[in-house]
Amino acid sequence: MSNRFQRTKSNVLRAVLTASLLGILFLTGQSAVSAVAPPTVAAITPSSGTALTGVAITGAGFSGASLVTFGGVTVSSFTVVSDNLITTTAPLHAPGAVHVLVRTAFGTNAPAFADIFTYLGTGGIGAPVVTSVIPPIGTVGTVVTITGTGFTGAGGVTFGAVFAFFTVVNDTQIVAAAPANIPLAVHVLVTNAFGTSAATTADVFTYLGAGGPIVTGISPTFGTIATVVTITGTGFVGATSVTFGGVASFYTIMSNTQIIASAPGNFAGAVHIIVTTALGTSPPTVSDLFTYVGSGGPVVNGISPTSGGPGTSVTITGFGFTGATSVTFGGLTAFATVISDTQIIASAPSNSPGTVHVVVTTPLGTSASTVADLFTYLGAAAPVVTGISPTSGGPGTVVIIIGTGFTGATSVTFGGIVAAATVNSDTQITATAPSNAAATVHVLVTTGFGTSGAVTADLFTYVSSTMTYTLSFRWSLIAWLGQDGISVDAALRSGPGGNIVGQVTAVFRWFGASQVWQAYFPGAAGVPGANDFTVLNKGVSYWIAIIGPGSTTWVIILG
């Protein structure tokens, strides 16, 4: 099997290089006499990157350009900004330096040093990157949210080399269940068709033994609101909350055996200090009792709504509100009515845009500031989209969004699907069209002040694009980039490339969850139980065997 894999890799490399060379030879063919000179390329900016990198091509003679290629691979979409500028995105290609060629009615630029673009990384798109795992500790079965980039089409997630069951939520998030392992710290790695994420301190998950945290002592054991308390015990790493009599406190995890917390607002009396982690909650014991001395002040544990403008009616919930003497929003006194000991209704006073604490004061004290009492003043209009460029393309197209109110944008969506985006200014955003079906969709921008209204100026049309696989005799390794979930038989029988089912003898994939190879045989299509799998999944790698000798071309519609 090893020799066969080596021959396959050599065949794939020769196929890629041959395709690139033939593409260049074809594109540079020009007539001997031309009334107008062919285009010239003066620079590529940036001159290196990966697939989907936004690229600006500068030169001359670009008007009427009909084709742009990178190493013989045709780009799915490009924009002729002027006779001297074209913008586009780098298509899929193997790593290495390639010529960027532009074709017009008067010919194609001759390959030169100025038109070279260098693909970096392994596989063009590059391996995924893990930036965090939450929670960072747990036991077997703990549900872990993995964040990063390049997760689309992930074929495996491992915890210390042990494969986990997982779900790809989107290109930046995976949810996985920690597989069986011994108590230790391990790296959580994600693999896609282009490689495996590098092990870093950001991807470490620590397996703990059975049982949640335990509080064995506190110091001091009594005090008032805001008293700083040292909590000792075990299993504190990754603590998600510390409460005093059910009231959340501000705290800092010093180590697995120590937490420093500030006593929140509460009534006089003894209360249990409880620590919660992903593994459970500490049991209440005499060791965790803290006694509030004197009468406690009011406590705010929620407000509704949490945002609005001056004059917004806000319902404040908590306890100890009887006899309240003032309610303030960011230090400004509000008109308020005490409904009961647990509820106040207040009118937000005039204030500048921003987030402030809502604080209640009684003769017994003032409520402590917490995340539960935050109110956000909205002082600006929702964003407005007045235009996008280009207005059509496939997934991965770089789109410039023009409008107003973009500062602080929290999301950009194409037909409801979140896109990777960069806010360039209050009037411009650069976004990459996410995967979507062929359709016309609205491009919407959301900020803290609302979401842009759907208008004709924000319409983007997804168009189908294709790619070509070259399959060599015996075995070829491909990363499936077509429709996700399409049946193998349908994929082999349809598409721009026509019917190749008769040339394919077998399709294999590696199933990481079971650590086995799975097979599909076209000759057994429709036979119950004959095949291990029957559909192709986007981003998964497959070995395909064809009848030879020679090779065949398989053109598919990108999913």
Side-chain angles (χ1 to χ4, degrees):
M1 180 62 75
S2 177
N3 291 335
R4 181 178 296 176
F5 276 28
Q6 291 299 324
R7 290 196 298 272
T8 299
K9 293 178 180 177
S10 298
N11 290 339
V12 171
L13 180 58
R14 284 200 298 273
V16 171
L17 294 175
T18 301
S20 299
L21 180 58
L22 290 176
I24 293 174
L25 292 176
F26 169 76
L27 290 172
T28 54
Q30 303 174 19
S31 59
V33 178
S34 177
V36 179
T40 58
V41 173
I44 306 295
T45 306
S47 60
S48 64
T50 61
L52 308 185
T53 295
V55 175
I57 306 170
T58 54
F62 294 161
S63 295
S66 58
L67 184 71
V68 175
T69 63
F70 282 60
V73 179
T74 302
V75 301
S76 59
S77 175
F78 63 91
T79 300
V80 179
V81 179
S82 68
D83 192 63
N84 306 105
L85 175 63
I86 290 176
T87 59
T88 186
T89 55
L92 290 171
H93 199 285
V98 300
H99 289 286
V100 178
L101 304 182
V102 178
R103 177 193 291 175
T104 70
F106 305 108
T108 302
N109 62 292
F113 180 79
D115 64 34
I116 289 178
F117 179 84
T118 301
Y119 279 89
L120 305 176
T122 54
I125 287 180
V129 175
V130 175
T131 57
S132 71
V133 292
I134 298 176
I137 66 164
T139 59
V140 176
T142 296
V143 177
V144 179
T145 299
I146 308 167
T147 56
T149 59
F151 293 166
T152 299
V157 173
T158 58
F159 284 59
V162 180
F163 280 88
F165 288 101
F166 66 95
T167 299
V168 177
V169 179
N170 53 44
D171 194 63
T172 62
Q173 186 178 93
I174 289 175
V175 176
N181 218 325
I182 61 174
L184 81 169
V186 300
H187 290 286
V188 179
L189 305 181
V190 178
T191 300
N192 64 15
F194 306 100
T196 299
S197 59
T200 68
T201 55
D203 63 30
V204 174
F205 177 84
T206 301
Y207 280 90
L208 299 178
I214 296 176
V215 175
T216 58
I218 61 173
S219 179
T221 58
F222 62 90
T224 60
I225 297 171
T227 296
V228 176
V229 179
T230 299
I231 307 167
T232 54
T234 59
F236 293 163
V237 172
T240 55
S241 76
V242 175
T243 59
F244 285 58
V247 181
S249 70
F250 287 108
Y251 64 94
T252 300
I253 302 170
M254 306 304 293
S255 68
N256 194 52
T257 60
Q258 187 180 86
I259 290 176
I260 303 296
S262 176
N266 220 324
F267 291 115
V271 298
H272 289 287
I273 297 179
I274 304 297
V275 177
T276 299
T277 72
L279 301 178
T281 299
S282 61
T285 68
V286 293
S287 299
D288 63 29
L289 286 174
F290 178 82
T291 301
Y292 279 89
V293 178
S295 300
V299 173
V300 174
N301 55 31
I303 62 173
S304 180
T306 57
S307 64
T312 298
S313 179
V314 179
T315 298
I316 307 167
T317 55
F319 56 87
F321 295 161
T322 299
T325 56
S326 75
V327 175
T328 60
F329 285 60
L332 300 177
T333 302
F335 178 80
T337 301
V338 179
I339 305 300
S340 68
D341 193 65
T342 61
Q343 186 180 86
I344 292 175
I345 295 179
S347 178
S350 296
N351 213 331
S352 303
T355 300
V356 300
H357 288 285
V358 177
V359 176
V360 177
T361 299
T362 73
L364 301 178
T366 299
S367 61
S369 296
T370 69
V371 293
D373 65 28
L374 292 174
F375 179 82
T376 300
Y377 277 91
L378 305 179
V384 175
V385 175
T386 58
I388 62 174
S389 178
T391 56
S392 64
T397 299
V398 175
V399 179
I400 302 299
I401 306 169
I402 303 299
T404 59
F406 293 166
T407 298
T410 56
S411 77
V412 174
T413 59
F414 284 61
I417 299 176
V418 177
T422 300
V423 178
N424 303 319
S425 67
D426 193 64
T427 60
Q428 185 182 92
I429 291 175
T430 299
T432 301
S435 296
N436 212 331
T440 298
V441 300
H442 290 284
V443 178
L444 304 181
V445 177
T446 299
T447 70
F449 303 111
T451 300
S452 59
V455 294
T456 55
D458 66 28
L459 289 174
F460 180 84
T461 300
Y462 277 90
V463 295
S464 296
S465 56
T466 64
M467 77 167 293
T468 301
Y469 293 113
T470 299
L471 304 179
S472 301
F473 174 50
R474 298 233 172 124
W475 294 101
S476 296
L477 177 63
I478 71 163
W480 178 250
L481 297 176
Q483 179 183 340
D484 188 33
I486 188 173
S487 74
V488 183
D489 186 69
L492 297 175
R493 292 179 183 276
S494 61
N499 187 345
I500 68 165
V501 68
Q503 298 172 263
V504 177
T505 59
V507 180
F508 279 81
R509 76 176 183 187
W510 176 250
F511 188 58
S514 300
Q515 295 286 283
V516 296
W517 285 99
Q518 294 185 332
Y520 176 90
F521 303 99
V527 179
N531 292 311
D532 296 321
F533 64 95
T534 57
V535 300
L536 296 177
N537 296 117
K538 188 172 183 179
V540 175
S541 296
Y542 297 87
W543 285 99
I544 299 181
I546 65 169
I547 299 171
S551 63
T552 189
T553 297
W554 186 19
V555 182
I556 60 101
I557 296 176
L558 293 179

